[in-house]
Amino acid sequence: MKQRILFVCLGNICRSPAAEAMLQQMITREGLAEHIEVDSAGTYGGHAGERSDVRMRRAAGARGIEMTHRARQVREEDFDRFDRIIAMDDNNYEALFRLAPDRAAQQKIFRFREYLRHHPDWSYIPDPYYEGHEGFELVLDLLEDGCAQLLSELKA
Ligand code: 4NP
C-alpha cells in the first residue's frame, strides 16, 4: 500500500517544499517511488501559486536538490489523502490540529522534530524567511537529518 506524506509549514515556499524535494530525491534514488508519495502545503495561503523562495531554491540547488513545487494552502481533504502530515513547528502543528475534522485526522499529525536524530538542540524547524543564508543552510541540515530517519521508518 502506498504511503502518502505531506509536509506543512507556514508559507509553503521555504521549509516544507525543501523537505518535499529532499525526501522525493531520497525516494527516487532508492527506487521507492511506487510506494511513497510526498507533497507539501502551507497553513497560510498568501503565497499560493508561487514558486519556492529563490533563496531556498539556491541553497537546495547547491546540494543537488531541485525544487519545482508551487505553493498551496493545506485543506481539510488532505487529511483523507495523506497518512502522515508533518508540521515544521508548533504553530503549524496547532493550525493543523484546528483544521483536522476528527480524531482520526488529528492522529495523522506529527512534528518534524520527532524525526531528528543528530540535532538534540532543535525542537522545531526554524522559519528562515527573515534570516540570512545561514538560516537556509540550517533548515537544510535539519531536513537532511529528519528525512533520512523518516525514510528509514517508512521502509520498515
Ligand atoms: P515557510 O517560510 O513557512 O518555511 O515557507 C515562510 C514563508 C513566508 C512567510 C513566512 C514564512 N511569510 O510571512 O510570508
Side-chain angles (χ1 to χ4, degrees):
M1 206 179 75
K2 199 160 190 168
Q3 300 187 77
R4 294 186 169 85
I5 308 298
L6 182 68
F7 292 114
V8 174
C9 62
L10 176 61
N12 192 215
I13 55 171
C14 297
R15 294 166 290 175
S16 64
E20 175 197 337
M22 188 182 286
L23 185 63
Q24 184 63 59
Q25 188 184 69
M26 293 175 176
I27 289 166
T28 304
R29 274 193 185 147
E30 299 206 23
L32 296 168
E34 272 174 54
H35 305 288
I36 307 170
E37 179 182 310
V38 57
D39 192 11
S40 66
T43 59
Y44 166 65
H47 293 282
E50 293 177 18
R51 293 200 63 188
S52 301
D53 188 300
V54 66
R55 298 166 296 171
M56 193 81 252
R57 279 192 274 142
R58 286 193 182 131
R63 298 188 189 206
I65 298 160
E66 189 192 2
M67 295 174 63
T68 57
H69 183 76
R70 291 269 174 184
R72 72 171 180 90
Q73 189 167 20
V74 66
R75 45 186 180 256
E76 200 179 307
E77 300 81 68
D78 287 321
F79 289 96
D80 295 328
R81 177 162 186 81
F82 293 94
D83 303 299
R84 289 195 207 201
I85 300 183
I86 302 175
M88 292 291 148
D89 64 33
D90 286 348
N91 286 332
N92 313 147
Y93 183 90
E94 282 155 24
L96 286 168
F97 216 82
R98 288 192 293 273
L99 183 65
D102 55 32
R103 195 163 158 69
Q106 288 173 347
Q107 286 173 341
K108 294 182 172 183
I109 310 170
F110 297 82
R111 290 180 175 87
F112 194 88
R113 72 152 182 252
E114 294 175 42
Y115 306 102
L116 294 178
R117 288 295 172 271
H118 305 293
H119 294 86
D121 296 340
W122 286 98
S123 60
Y124 60 98
I125 308 305
D127 183 349
Y129 196 67
Y130 297 104
E131 302 296 328
H133 183 68
E134 322 73 58
F136 290 86
E137 294 298 331
L138 171 62
V139 166
L140 290 169
D141 290 343
L142 294 169
L143 295 180
E144 280 176 0
D145 181 2
C147 284
Q149 174 61 25
L150 172 59
L151 187 61
S152 69
E153 285 185 26
L154 294 172
K155 288 192 319 193

